């Protein structure tokens, strides 16, 4: 009988070990007693998608092919605010040590999904559903509180989640500028030679390099006032077939092109604008256009003396 008892105790110990191991797998613990949820923070996430389940609205971001920068690809294509993306990913990393409640019976009936947030890498991904207070991971059967910072992020404002500055360059890098007024069939070309700006088409016009540099400095600081994705189909009505002004800035061989259309509304200081190569339409402060009807006079040395 002793050998039967030994076998019985061995089998009992074996099954007890399996049960303990299974429980540890189902509810892993850290030394402070918190459950550890599956690792959501993935250094190779390349795409983030946010969907409004009721309205069907969709926002999508992709990581650039080289480097760590991100850009929005839906509803418009534009560089993403890096702080916004970092907030998503840093909160995912924090969830590893949160106290969470494992939902053995997933409460689908009591949970009204409002948003779906998905993170994808080249090989895998995770989708989470959210309401105003909680996040559910249906696949892994976890539910945990919605991070405070995410409450506003789940209702994104384009101006907050995108970079609003038009260009990422220093005005001193620009060595050529072209101003075109297609409706008037006028074109003006200015170039910088040995630090001095000259007018290519009018040698008699002496330019103020200080005035041109000041103008370029203002341009380098221009920021989008409002993104207008609903206007993407109205390029003709907004004045982009024949724009009021086309501004081309050259830095070596790299062109920076801004097209400026009609006024945002009557008597507004804002105008509809587009930045090549993006087809995104936005409202841009264009006060600087009022004095550019005659650029030779605007940049002339005597003009600077008159206004000083």
């Amino acid at each position: 009988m002793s050998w039967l008892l030994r076998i019985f105790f061995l089998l009992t110990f074996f099954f007890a070990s399996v049960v303990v191991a299974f429980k540890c797998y189902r509810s892993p613990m850290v030394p402070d007693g918190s459950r550890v949820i599956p690792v959501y923070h993935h250094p190779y996430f390349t795409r983030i998608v946010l969907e409004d389940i009721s309205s069907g609205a969709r926002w999508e971001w992709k990581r650039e092919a080289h480097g760590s920068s991100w850009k929005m690809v839906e509803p418009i294509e534009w560089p993403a605010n890096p702080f916004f993306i970092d907030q998503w990913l840093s909160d995912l990393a924090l969830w590893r040590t949160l106290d969470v409640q494992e939902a053995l019976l997933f409460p689908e009936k009591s949970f009204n999904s409002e948003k779906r947030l998905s993170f994808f890498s080249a090989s895998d991904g995770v989708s989470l559903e959210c309401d105003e207070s909680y996040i559910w991971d249906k696949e892994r059967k976890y539910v945990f509180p919605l991070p405070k910072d995410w409450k506003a992020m789940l209702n994104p404002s384009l101006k907050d989640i995108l970079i609003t500055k038009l260009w990422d360059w220093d005005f001193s890098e620009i060595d050529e500028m072209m101003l075109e007024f297609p409706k008037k069939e006028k074109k003006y070309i200015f170039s910088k030679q040995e630090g001095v700006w000259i007018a290519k088409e009018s040698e008699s016009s002496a330019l103020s390099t200080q005035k041109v540099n000041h103008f370029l400095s203002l341009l380098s600081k221009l920021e989008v006032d409002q993104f207008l994705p609903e206007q993407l189909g109205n390029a003709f009505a907004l004045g982009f077939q024949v724009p009021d002004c086309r501004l081309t800035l050259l830095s070596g061989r790299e062109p920076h092109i801004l097209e400026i259309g009609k006024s945002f509304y009557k008597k507004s200081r804002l105008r509809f604008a587009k930045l090549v190569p993006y087809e995104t339409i936005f409202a841009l402060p264009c006060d600087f256009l009022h004095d550019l009807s005659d650029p030779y006079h605007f940049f002339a040395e005597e003009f600077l003396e008159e206004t000083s």
Side-chain angles (χ1 to χ4, degrees):
M1 288 294 292
S2 59
W3 61 273
L4 289 176
L5 286 174
R6 289 180 182 178
I7 293 176
F8 173 77
F9 284 122
L10 286 173
L11 290 175
T12 302
F13 177 78
F14 172 76
F15 285 113
S17 300
V18 170
V19 170
V20 171
F22 180 73
K23 286 184 176 181
C24 290
Y25 172 77
R26 294 285 292 172
S27 298
M29 306 290 286
V30 292
D32 63 0
S34 302
R35 285 191 177 91
V36 177
I37 65 176
V39 179
Y40 291 121
H41 181 60
H42 196 305
Y44 302 108
F45 281 139
T46 58
R47 190 161 64 98
I48 301 174
V49 178
L50 173 64
E51 300 169 277
D52 188 303
I53 295 175
S54 59
S55 69
R58 176 186 172 94
W59 300 265
E60 181 175 347
W61 298 264
K62 285 187 177 180
R63 190 194 295 268
E64 299 284 7
H66 302 285
S68 58
S69 60
W70 289 73
K71 71 175 181 179
M72 172 174 274
V73 294
E74 193 174 344
I76 62 177
E77 184 175 339
W78 196 265
N81 185 334
F83 299 104
F84 182 83
I85 299 297
D86 287 345
Q87 189 68 64
W88 285 127
L89 299 179
S90 62
D91 279 341
L92 279 178
L94 288 176
W95 289 349
R96 291 197 62 196
T97 54
L98 285 177
D99 288 325
V100 298
Q101 176 184 354
E102 187 174 3
L104 298 178
L105 296 175
F106 189 71
E108 294 185 29
K109 293 183 179 179
S110 62
F111 177 57
N112 182 24
S113 300
E114 297 176 1
K115 301 287 173 64
R116 181 180 296 112
L117 180 61
S118 303
F119 299 84
F120 301 98
S121 68
S123 58
D124 58 12
V126 59
S127 286
L128 309 169
E129 294 196 5
C130 321
D131 65 6
E132 293 182 355
S133 303
Y134 294 97
I135 293 180
W136 266 258
D137 182 339
K138 284 188 174 182
E139 181 180 353
R140 297 172 178 83
K141 307 295 184 183
Y142 278 98
V143 55
F144 40 93
L146 181 72
K148 182 189 301 184
D149 293 332
W150 280 30
K151 292 186 178 181
M153 295 166 64
L154 290 173
N155 297 284
S157 161
L158 291 178
K159 191 173 180 181
D160 292 334
I161 64 180
L162 301 178
I163 292 177
T164 56
K165 192 174 180 181
L166 284 189
W167 291 294
D168 184 21
W169 46 259
D170 185 87
F171 73 90
S172 62
E173 300 173 0
I174 302 302
D175 51 30
E176 187 166 303
M177 173 173 60
M178 180 166 62
L179 281 163
E180 298 175 86
F181 300 91
K183 293 179 180 179
K184 300 177 181 179
E185 298 184 348
K186 297 286 187 179
K187 179 166 68 173
Y188 305 86
I189 301 176
F190 307 94
S191 64
K192 184 168 63 174
Q193 298 181 8
E194 298 181 352
V196 177
W197 283 93
I198 63 172
K200 277 193 172 183
E201 302 295 325
S202 177
E203 296 182 2
S204 60
S205 295
L207 300 182
S208 165
T209 296
Q210 181 183 353
K211 181 68 176 179
V212 177
N213 286 339
H214 177 67
F215 176 71
L216 290 174
S217 176
L218 293 177
L219 289 181
S220 69
K221 298 173 184 177
L222 277 177
E223 293 195 19
V224 174
D225 185 270
Q226 183 180 352
F227 290 96
L228 304 163
E230 70 278 2
Q231 298 290 348
L232 290 176
N234 295 332
F236 180 79
L238 302 182
F240 291 115
Q241 297 297 96
V242 184
D244 283 353
C245 178
R246 182 182 294 109
L247 173 65
T248 302
L249 305 172
L250 295 173
S251 174
R253 295 184 178 181
E254 182 183 4
H256 311 279
I257 304 173
L258 176 67
E259 291 188 349
I260 302 170
K262 295 181 178 179
S263 294
F264 189 57
Y265 56 84
K266 289 184 178 180
K267 298 183 180 180
S268 171
R269 69 183 185 90
L270 301 175
R271 283 176 174 262
F272 293 103
K274 287 197 308 182
L275 188 65
V276 177
Y278 303 105
E279 291 301 316
T280 299
I281 293 175
F282 49 87
L284 181 71
C286 287
D287 296 337
F288 63 88
L289 280 181
H290 299 325
D291 299 318
L292 278 179
S293 57
D294 185 353
Y296 290 147
H297 178 68
F298 182 78
F299 293 124
E301 288 283 0
E302 61 269 24
F303 179 81
L304 181 64
E305 293 171 1
E306 290 172 3
T307 58
S308 60

